[in-house]
């Protein structure tokens, strides 16, 4: 059989763009160009600009693929110029999926920071799809200000799902904010799960990853149960170009999620 | 493996015949350097099979420095022409073995590399005159082709003694069998001596082997040791672009009319922005970290996955280095 070109992105139109914050939007595509599992990522092509790796923020069971993206660099800058109906390209899925079947009957502890909550949403929606399989799903999510919270319209709906417990914090509140104030670790003073068995999932900016992981380790989570989304420069996505290497791991193939057990001996693994 | 003799008088004729169904590249020695040039009838044919590997690395025959790997929105296939690489050295065979592992033997297969690789017949040549920069003997490479090639030739007094390694090599010889003779007894004896002498010479150039646990030693080297090793590095990246085993690349997109071309270019892990992400985080922002990473990549990580070093001992990194940093000196000290 002839080899499929792993560098070719599947063209697909943007169905809708939902602004989440002043610099974060959710891009909904017209369908599911690739079948992914929670934890895997894709390379998104902005025609003529380039491509960059993103984990979908939608459920693997959804009809349309979604990416929630912050405008930070060249490719995302180009993406934010696009409109509904414009063409993008998708390559993937890449990397390893979460071993969801290992989490059955357990409490799940999800910690997100800023736009880092986007890939965790895909995991959350995959868990919600079979919510009865899990003892309870906890979400602890922090953003800089109330205006920086993504999915603020959806969160009240998720809070009503039986078996879901969500707590939020912002670094700096405002006149309307009635929730907790402080960095995301303020939500980790009390962790109501069986620390010996529960898996924890962390995604956010490097400093947040560092301090949350430190807190989870101190709290007593098993190192192999702390799943960390590694933000690295995945150029090819297929373990060849070498850009995303962290120690002996290709984050694009062995990740994009690695456990604390995998990376704890690496100096500054989140940088 | 079967042996044949290609008499000196038939070498040109053999190359001429090969050139009828593909491009033939063969080594010449000019201004103290070896280069591979394309055979054409109008050019004087003065091959040199004895001097060391070419100054340029040969990876561009399979993995060009700039390569269109996809078109968007409609893709098109790469079609490669048949080519013969005649007279390349075994250090470059190590390079090809590294690329085969990465681009063909590790899923997903890279269709561009595979297409070019499958259209290439490799006729390597013994390396009887190792130079001061050579250290193939330290990284498990012999100074003669013993695999990865289709045919290996050794210069002997009567011509080229050919050893066949693959069915493709066998097909080449049988197609032009009128040009070949039985190997006889003398030529293999001569080859044995040539190889023994080459190994002796390499032993003199590199009398000290790398320590058995060199991979662990690199891992434990520490920033201070690597800082000392890289202090003269001017970040010209010549070592990486000249390296026949470095395979890092970058994908970039360019507009071409209404379409987009995805271009793959060689990259170098010494670039400051090499691993930087969109958000600005950079796991190897200091040169010493990038310098160290190169050693880890070649001798530690690759070795762990594939069971051999991603280093061919060709010495191009040393020859190309503006500061004359010798990789051997660094490894010997560890």
């Amino acid at each position: 059989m002839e080899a499929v070109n792993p560098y070719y992105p599947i063209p697909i139109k943007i169905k809708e763009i939902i602004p989440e914050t002043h610099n974060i939007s959710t891009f909904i595509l017209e369908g599911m160009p690739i079948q992914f599992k929670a934890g895997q990522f894709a390379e998104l092509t902005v025609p003529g600009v380039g491509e960059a790796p993103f984990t979908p923020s939608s459920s693997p069971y959804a009809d349309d693929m979604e990416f929630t993206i912050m405008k930070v660099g060249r490719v995302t800058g180009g993406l934010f110029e696009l409109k509904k109906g414009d063409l993008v390209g998708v390559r993937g899925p890449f990397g390893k999926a979460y071993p969801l079947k290992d989490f059955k009957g357990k409490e799940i502890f999800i910690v997100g920071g800023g736009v880092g909550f986007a890939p965790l949403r895909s995991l959350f929606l995959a868990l919600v799809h079979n919510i009865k399989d899990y003892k309870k799903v906890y979400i602890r999510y922090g953003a800089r200000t109330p205006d920086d919270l993504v999915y603020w319209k959806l969160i009240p709906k998720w809070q009503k799902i039986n078996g879901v417990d969500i707590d939020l914090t912002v670094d700096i509140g405002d006149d309307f904010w009635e929730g907790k104030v402080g960095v995301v670790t303020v939500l980790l003073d009390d962790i109501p799960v069986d620390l010996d068995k529960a898996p924890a999932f962390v995604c956010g900016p490097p400093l947040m990853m560092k301090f949350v992981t430190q807190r989870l380790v101190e709290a007593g989570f098993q190192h192999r149960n702390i799943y960390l989304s590694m933000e690295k420069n995945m150029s090819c996505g297929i373990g060849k170009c070498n850009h995303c290497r962290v120690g002996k791991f290709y984050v694009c193939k062995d990740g994009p999620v690695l456990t604390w057990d995998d990376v704890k001996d690496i100096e500054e693994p989140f940088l | 493996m079967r042996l044949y003799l290609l008499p000196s008088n038939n070498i040109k004729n053999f190359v001429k015949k090969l050139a009828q169904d593909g491009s033939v590249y063969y080594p010449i020695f000019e201004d103290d350097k070896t280069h591979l040039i394309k055979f054409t009838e109008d050019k004087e044919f003065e091959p040199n099979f004895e001097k060391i590997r070419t100054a340029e690395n040969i990876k561009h025959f399979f993995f060009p420095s700039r390569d269109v790997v996809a078109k968007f929105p409609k893709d098109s296939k790469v079609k490669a022409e048949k080519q013969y690489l005649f007279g390349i050295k075994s250090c470059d065979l190590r390079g090809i073995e590294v690329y085969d592992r990465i681009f063909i033997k590790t899923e997903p297969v890279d269709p561009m590399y595979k297409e070019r690789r499958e259209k290439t017949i490799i006729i390597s040549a013994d390396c009887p005159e190792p130079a001061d920069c050579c250290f193939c003997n330290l990284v498990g490479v012999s100074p003669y082709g013993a695999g990865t090639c289709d045919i290996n030739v050794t210069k002997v007094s009567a011509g080229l003694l050919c050893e066949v390694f693959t069915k493709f090599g066998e097909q080449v010889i049988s197609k032009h069998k009128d040009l070949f003779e039985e190997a006889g007894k003398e030529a293999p004896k001569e080859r044995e001596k040539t190889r023994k002498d080459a190994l002796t010479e390499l032993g003199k150039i590199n009398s000290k082997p790398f320590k058995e646990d060199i991979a662990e030693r690199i891992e434990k080297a520490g920033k201070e040791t690597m800082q000392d090793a890289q202090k003269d590095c001017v970040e010209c990246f010549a070592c990486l672009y000249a390296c026949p085993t470095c395979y890092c690349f970058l994908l970039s997109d360019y507009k071409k009319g209404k379409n987009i071309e995805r271009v793959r270019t060689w990259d170098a892990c010494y670039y400051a922005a090499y691993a930087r992400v969109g958000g600005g985080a950079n796991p190897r922002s200091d040169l010493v970290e990038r310098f160290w990473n190169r050693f880890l990549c070649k001798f530690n990580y690759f070795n762990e996955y594939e069971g051999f070093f991603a280093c061919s001992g060709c010495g191009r990194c040393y020859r190309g280095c503006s500061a004359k940093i010798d990789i051997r000196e660094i490894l010997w000290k560890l």
Side-chain angles (χ1 to χ4, degrees):
Chain A
M1 213 174 76
E2 200 163 324
V4 174
N5 185 355
Y7 305 108
Y8 173 70
I10 296 166
I12 188 162
K13 281 183 181 169
I14 297 173
K15 186 178 180 179
E16 208 180 331
I17 302 171
I18 301 171
E20 300 280 350
T21 73
H22 73 285
N23 64 350
I24 300 172
S25 290
T26 295
F27 297 82
I28 305 175
L29 308 182
E30 279 186 357
M32 201 67 121
I34 53 170
Q35 288 302 320
F36 72 97
K37 290 183 180 143
Q40 290 184 301
F41 76 97
E43 294 277 353
L44 188 65
T45 295
V46 180
V49 180
E51 66 173 0
F54 300 99
T55 298
S57 49
S58 50
S59 165
Y61 305 103
D63 294 331
D64 298 325
M65 196 172 199
E66 295 178 24
F67 293 93
T68 300
I69 292 169
M70 182 190 268
K71 187 179 169 183
V72 288
R74 196 172 49 82
V75 174
T76 53
L79 183 66
F80 274 72
E81 300 287 313
L82 299 182
K83 299 179 297 298
K84 179 180 169 176
D86 284 345
L87 207 60
V88 291
V90 176
R91 249 178 356 113
F94 299 126
K96 288 186 177 152
Y98 290 113
L100 291 186
K101 64 174 184 352
D102 294 352
F103 308 148
K104 282 192 178 173
K106 291 178 183 167
E107 292 154 317
I108 314 281
F109 198 70
I110 296 171
V111 191
V115 74
F117 188 39
L120 295 171
R121 179 191 172 215
S122 175
L123 166 69
F124 171 68
L125 294 175
L127 295 169
V128 165
H129 189 75
N130 296 306
I131 191 73
K132 285 188 181 139
D133 283 354
Y134 311 98
K135 208 167 170 185
K136 194 152 191 174
V137 178
Y138 294 89
I139 289 181
R140 299 293 179 260
Y141 171 41
R144 204 176 296 257
T145 71
D147 289 340
D148 292 309
L149 285 166
V150 292
Y151 313 131
W152 53 274
K153 272 188 184 166
L154 297 169
I155 288 171
K157 289 180 195 164
W158 295 341
Q159 272 167 328
K160 287 178 192 152
I161 301 171
N162 213 359
V164 174
D165 179 299
I166 301 179
D167 202 359
L168 310 173
T169 183
V170 292
D171 297 359
I172 308 155
D174 62 16
D175 294 346
F176 307 100
W177 180 252
E178 291 172 351
K180 289 179 181 158
V181 175
V183 293
V184 72
T185 43
V186 302
L187 302 176
L188 307 179
D189 290 337
D190 176 35
I191 301 174
V193 301
D194 180 349
L195 295 164
D196 207 37
K197 291 187 184 139
F201 302 86
V202 191
C203 187
L207 268 184
M208 173 267 181
M209 297 281 291
K210 181 176 173 171
F211 289 109
V212 168
T213 307
Q214 206 174 313
R215 179 71 196 96
L216 297 179
V217 170
E218 282 164 10
F221 277 93
Q222 297 285 329
H223 294 181
R224 63 172 188 282
N225 287 341
I226 302 174
Y227 292 86
L228 305 159
S229 283
M230 308 297 287
E231 187 204 8
K232 297 293 164 205
N233 183 354
M234 285 92 100
S235 178
C236 73
I238 51 176
K240 301 197 192 295
C241 80
N242 246 336
H243 282 260
C244 66
R245 200 191 275 279
V246 176
K248 65 176 183 178
F249 299 107
Y250 283 114
V251 172
C252 70
K253 268 178 86 168
D254 303 311
V257 176
L258 297 173
T259 67
W260 179 239
D261 215 23
D262 294 329
V263 300
K264 65 185 172 192
D265 293 331
I266 297 167
E267 196 186 342
E268 300 292 350
F270 305 121
L271 267 188
Chain B
M1 297 298 166
R2 297 198 60 181
L3 294 174
Y4 302 88
L5 182 76
L6 179 65
S8 303
N9 289 342
N10 290 353
I11 297 175
K12 186 178 180 183
N13 213 359
F14 175 56
V15 170
K16 221 165 124 178
K17 288 266 171 70
L18 292 180
Q20 286 170 0
D21 75 336
S23 303
V24 185
Y25 297 89
Y26 67 96
I28 56 156
F29 191 68
E30 220 173 63
D31 297 333
D32 217 25
K33 286 190 179 77
T34 313
H35 307 280
L36 273 194
I37 61 163
K38 189 174 172 176
F39 173 82
T40 50
E41 294 261 13
D42 55 339
K43 237 180 280 170
E44 216 157 305
F45 183 68
E46 288 175 349
N48 185 306
F49 296 106
E50 286 145 302
K51 296 290 182 188
I52 63 163
R53 85 300 182 271
T54 53
E56 308 81 15
N57 75 51
I58 63 138
K59 63 185 171 188
H60 57 86
F61 283 104
F62 313 100
F63 173 46
S65 56
R66 189 183 190 281
D67 200 8
V68 176
V69 294
K71 287 177 183 168
F72 183 85
K74 206 174 170 335
D75 204 12
S76 63
K77 277 183 207 130
V78 169
K79 278 212 88 60
E81 302 294 322
K82 191 166 188 179
Q83 57 185 358
Y84 295 88
L85 300 186
F86 193 7
I88 65 170
K89 303 295 174 178
S90 66
C91 46
D92 284 334
L93 298 180
R94 161 66 63 93
I96 294 168
E97 181 57 18
V98 168
Y99 294 130
D100 284 356
R101 296 284 177 120
I102 297 295
F103 293 121
I104 296 181
K105 292 176 184 164
T106 306
E107 289 285 339
V109 168
D110 183 297
M112 278 56 73
Y113 179 86
K114 185 169 179 267
E115 167 75 3
R116 293 192 185 99
R117 182 72 175 88
E118 284 177 353
K119 295 277 173 67
T120 307
I121 298 286
I122 298 171
I123 306 173
S124 57
D126 274 36
C127 195
E129 298 175 18
D132 64 330
C133 64
C134 299
F135 61 98
C136 59
N137 60 328
L138 300 185
V139 292
V141 175
S142 318
Y144 49 85
T148 310
C149 52
D150 295 293
I151 300 170
N152 182 78
V153 302
T154 314
K155 182 94 170 62
V156 290
S157 43
L160 295 175
L161 180 64
C162 308
E163 184 173 4
V164 180
F165 287 89
T166 65
K167 64 173 188 205
F168 305 108
E170 195 64 62
Q171 281 163 7
V172 168
I173 298 218
S174 62
K175 195 173 170 188
H176 308 291
K177 56 179 183 291
D178 51 320
L179 298 175
F180 290 85
E181 291 174 5
E182 289 290 322
K185 284 184 184 157
E186 274 315 301
K189 268 190 209 160
E190 235 182 286
R191 183 176 83 161
E192 205 175 312
K193 188 178 180 308
T194 303
R195 290 183 173 180
K196 208 173 146 199
D197 290 350
L199 283 165
T200 307
E201 186 57 27
L202 277 164
K204 279 186 208 157
I205 298 166
N206 309 291
S207 54
K208 228 174 9 170
F210 295 146
K211 294 185 185 78
E212 193 88 348
D213 56 346
I214 193 68
E216 288 100 285
R217 282 171 186 270
I218 293 169
E219 197 170 5
K220 290 181 187 141
K223 272 191 195 172
E224 220 167 279
T225 306
M226 294 320 275
Q227 187 88 49
D228 188 50
Q230 62 101 127
K231 66 182 190 304
D232 294 330
C233 175
V234 295
E235 297 183 62
C236 69
F237 315 136
C239 52
L240 303 170
Y241 290 123
C243 178
T245 63
C246 277
Y247 55 88
C248 286
F249 64 80
L250 188 71
L251 299 173
S252 328
D253 291 359
Y254 296 91
K255 280 185 185 156
K256 191 135 193 192
K258 283 183 180 170
N259 297 320
I260 310 297
E261 278 187 354
R262 175 152 294 164
V263 175
R264 166 167 65 192
T265 45
W266 292 349
D267 206 351
C269 60
Y270 278 6
Y271 277 113
Y274 176 83
R276 196 175 65 199
V277 299
N282 190 346
R284 291 187 289 277
S285 52
D286 290 340
L287 175 61
V288 63
E289 290 160 333
R290 302 194 293 277
F291 193 85
W292 191 1
N293 176 66
R294 170 176 161 234
F295 284 78
L296 285 166
C297 178
K298 290 184 173 299
F299 295 93
N300 192 310
Y301 308 144
F302 189 88
N303 188 29
E304 188 175 328
Y305 286 111
E306 306 294 350
F308 60 94
F309 298 143
C311 173
S312 68
C314 70
R316 287 184 180 100
C317 52
Y318 168 59
R319 280 274 168 97
C321 182
S322 313
K324 285 286 160 275
I325 297 172
D326 191 336
I327 189 169
R328 287 171 295 191
E329 297 291 346
I330 295 168
L331 293 170
W332 274 327
K333 273 187 203 159
L334 292 177

